[in-house]
């Protein structure tokens, strides 16, 4: 995949489109200076846009650029051996206790230099981009020291610049206890809050702060300490919450105005109500649910009834979700979690953008927004969730440029 400066401009008048929300009428999108100036039915196009250079969509369905709002894309090595261990009967927690799990990726990440991490992450990012992703969150959390967390976050920034894709970085220093802090969890959380986070924030490497709140990771009190440090720096928070057990993390995160609570298989009614009140997005991660052969479903019906926005993401990581297709996650969200197709599509666009604080630039096709949209070789939106292993992208317009494929 070429670097961003080689992509042609998407400026012009895009016609022959069908909006996923109203596929019956021909739509048009006018783009100038990389921004959407107008979108609507072709037959009411304002005259001022009629003479723009034409891009014929050839009847393609068009959606907003996809947003992958929860990934751990930058890491060293891979963990196929753990896949084999789990197939032989070991649980995720047993693998972690046997020296595998997150800390084995920490070892490999610490050993790799920045260029190596970039070279290994780039093809993974290319896979996601080829599926229509226009914005992505990338977490740290496999470095667990200032030096190595910095390395991961710098690679995340460099990926965004190289490929012309919006990258939101999330500092996840509180992902696991590094081996050198064994038995000294409180000391490590002090290091995260007092040294790592302020230093990385000063280097403008942190867009949000996350914690893995779980009995095999960090407690509710430790989570709150990290949230306080984030708030003191004016950074938004999010949380790996209630994945394996109900820790009350979602309600705590909601009190801190969290952008999102993610995983949430064991989310309680109180957690849902707190998220509703704070406008926190529920991020569903069917790839991790599937890989761990989990059977405890997130409370979809209650979230729906409460009107909590639901996003869907890959959770790409080498342990629990080595997934490289957001379309496949839409399929799994429908099949495993019983989302409707419009819910799954909103989950990878408008709600995912909100989970990253990107509502004003991503997730919808609207006047005044940067041009991020995808033309698909499908007849109806349901096909985006229906096929799996298929790659129906015809053309991706990302940051005002034609990044993948071409119009008709
Ligand atoms: O989102 N839950 C914690 N973090 C990752 C797993 C990381 C790993 O196993 O390497 C997740 O599933
Ligand atoms: Fe995760």
């Amino acid at each position: 995949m070429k670097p961003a400066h080689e992509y042609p401009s998407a400026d012009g008048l895009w016609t022959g489109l069908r909006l996923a929300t109203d596929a019956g009428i021909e739509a048009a999108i006018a783009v100038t200076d990389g921004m959407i100036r107008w979108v609507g039915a072709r037959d009411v196009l304002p005259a001022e846009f009629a003479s723009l250079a034409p891009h014929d969509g050839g009847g393609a369905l068009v959606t907003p650029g996809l947003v992958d709002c929860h990934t751990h894309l930058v890491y060293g090595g891979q963990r196929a051996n753990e896949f084999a261990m789990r197939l032989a009967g070991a649980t995720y927690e047993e693998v972690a206790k046997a020296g595998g799990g997150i800390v084995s990726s920490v070892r490999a990440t610490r050993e790799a230099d920045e260029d190596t991490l970039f070279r290994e992450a780039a093809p993974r990012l290319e896979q996601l981009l080829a599926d229509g992703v226009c914005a992505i969150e990338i977490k740290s959390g496999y470095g667990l020291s200032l030096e190595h967390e910095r390395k991961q976050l710098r690679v995340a920034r460099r990926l965004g610049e190289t490929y012309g894709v919006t990258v939101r970085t999330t500092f996840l220093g509180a992902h696991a206890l590094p081996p050198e802090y064994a038995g000294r969890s409180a000391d490590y959380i002090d290091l995260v809050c007092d040294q790592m986070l302020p230093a990385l924030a000063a280097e403008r490497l942190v867009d949000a702060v996350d914690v893995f709140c779980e009995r095999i990771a960090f407690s509710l009190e430790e989570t709150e300490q990290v949230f306080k440090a984030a708030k003191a720096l004016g950074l938004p928070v999010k949380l790996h919450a209630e994945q394996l057990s109900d820790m009350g993390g979602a309600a705590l995160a909601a009190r801190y105005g969290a952008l999102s609570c993610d995983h949430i298989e064991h989310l309680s009614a109180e957690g849902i109500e707190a998220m509703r009140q704070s406008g926190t997005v529920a991020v569903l991660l069917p790839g991790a649910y599937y890989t761990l052969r989990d059977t405890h479903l997130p409370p979809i019906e209650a979230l729906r009834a409460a009107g909590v926005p639901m996003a869907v993401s890959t959770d790409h990581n080498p342990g629990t979700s080595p997934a490289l297709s957001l379309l496949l996650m839409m399929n799994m969200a429908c099949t495993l979690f019983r989302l409707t197709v419009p819910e799954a599509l909103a989950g990878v666009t408008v709600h995912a953008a909100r989970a990253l604080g990107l509502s004003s630039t991503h997730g919808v096709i609207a006047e005044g927004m940067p041009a991020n949209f995808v033309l698909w070789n499908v007849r109806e939106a349901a096909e985006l969730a229906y096929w799996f292993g298929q790659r129906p992208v015809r053309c991706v317009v990302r940051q005002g440029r034609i990044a993948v494929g071409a119009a008709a």
Side-chain angles (χ1 to χ4, degrees):
M1 199 174 270
K2 291 188 217 146
H5 62 265
E6 292 181 30
Y7 306 154
S9 164
D11 281 7
L13 180 65
W14 293 73
T15 56
L17 303 175
R18 293 174 306 117
L19 296 170
T21 43
D22 190 358
I25 48 163
E26 187 196 338
I29 302 174
V31 179
T32 63
D33 298 321
M35 303 293 286
I36 297 170
R37 301 299 171 189
W38 189 85
V39 54
R42 172 77 173 91
D43 58 7
V44 295
L45 177 79
E48 61 185 293
F49 300 117
S51 58
L52 291 177
H55 298 281
D56 178 8
L61 193 89
V62 63
T63 68
L66 307 189
V67 178
D68 196 351
C69 66
H70 179 141
T71 86
H72 310 247
L73 196 75
V74 176
Y75 52 84
Q78 48 78 26
R79 290 173 18 217
N81 62 322
E82 294 179 14
F83 177 60
M85 284 168 78
R86 283 198 308 273
L87 290 179
T91 66
Y92 183 54
E93 280 146 304
E94 283 162 3
V95 169
K97 287 201 181 103
I102 294 170
V103 295
S104 80
S105 291
V106 171
R107 274 194 298 277
T109 303
R110 286 179 172 181
E111 277 165 20
D113 64 15
E114 226 172 275
D115 285 344
T116 306
L117 289 177
F118 181 88
R119 229 180 17 253
E120 291 185 0
R124 298 194 284 261
L125 178 61
E126 291 189 9
Q127 291 292 319
L128 293 168
L129 298 180
D131 243 10
V133 166
C134 289
I136 183 169
E137 187 241 27
I138 301 178
K139 301 176 193 292
S140 67
Y142 291 121
L144 310 186
S145 72
L146 177 57
E147 175 196 354
H148 297 294
E149 291 282 297
R150 175 190 286 127
K151 196 169 66 176
Q152 271 193 286
L153 294 168
R154 284 172 53 96
V155 170
R157 287 273 189 253
R158 194 169 138 201
L159 287 166
E161 284 152 22
T162 304
Y163 289 97
V165 56
T166 304
V167 168
R168 300 298 280 177
T169 54
T170 297
F171 173 64
L172 180 57
H175 191 197
L177 196 59
E180 64 275 17
Y181 277 84
R184 293 188 295 135
S185 193
D187 291 346
Y188 180 64
I189 291 295
D190 286 346
L191 178 78
V192 163
C193 295
D194 303 341
Q195 294 181 40
M196 290 161 69
L197 178 55
L200 296 169
E203 293 172 42
R204 302 235 164 276
L205 288 171
V206 181
D207 297 324
V209 177
D210 192 354
V211 175
F212 187 16
C213 179
E214 193 54 69
R215 53 184 186 225
I216 57 165
F218 297 100
S219 69
L220 208 56
E221 294 69 35
E222 291 166 331
T223 301
E224 182 158 21
Q225 192 182 333
V226 177
F227 283 177
K228 282 187 174 144
K231 282 288 145 189
L233 294 164
L235 292 169
V237 300
K238 44 181 55 223
L239 191 64
H240 278 74
E242 348 289 21
Q243 180 187 9
L244 309 170
S245 60
D246 180 15
M247 303 270 292
L252 171 72
R255 278 216 309 283
Y256 281 80
L259 287 170
S260 68
C261 289
D262 305 37
H263 286 286
I264 55 169
E265 277 81 354
H266 295 260
L267 181 64
S268 67
E270 296 74 48
I272 293 173
E273 176 55 18
M275 288 172 69
R276 186 190 67 75
Q277 284 180 22
S278 61
T280 299
V281 177
V283 177
L284 306 172
L285 304 170
Y289 177 90
Y290 166 81
T291 302
L292 296 176
R293 288 187 294 163
D294 200 346
T295 51
H296 198 292
L297 285 163
I300 302 297
E301 190 49 61
L303 287 164
R304 187 183 279 137
V308 173
M310 292 182 278
V312 173
S313 169
T314 60
D315 188 18
H316 177 87
N317 76 74
T320 63
S321 191
L324 289 169
S325 166
L326 197 48
L327 292 183
L328 178 58
M329 297 306 111
M330 285 177 70
N331 172 277
M332 288 187 179
C334 293
T335 305
L336 299 175
F337 293 169
R338 291 284 178 256
L339 259 59
T340 65
V341 170
E343 283 174 337
L345 186 55
V348 296
T349 53
V350 63
H351 298 326
R354 178 167 164 180
L356 296 182
L358 290 177
S359 292
S360 61
T361 52
H362 290 76
V364 294
I365 301 174
E367 197 182 311
M369 287 200 160
N372 290 295
F373 53 84
V374 185
L375 275 56
W376 304 94
N377 292 318
V378 299
R379 282 171 206 278
E380 52 179 302
E383 288 184 75
L384 300 177
Y386 159 75
W387 302 103
F388 54 100
Q390 131 106 286
R391 184 147 273 172
V393 162
R394 177 181 300 180
C395 176
V396 179
V397 171
R398 196 165 71 231
Q399 293 187 345
R401 295 183 169 272
I402 302 174
V404 178

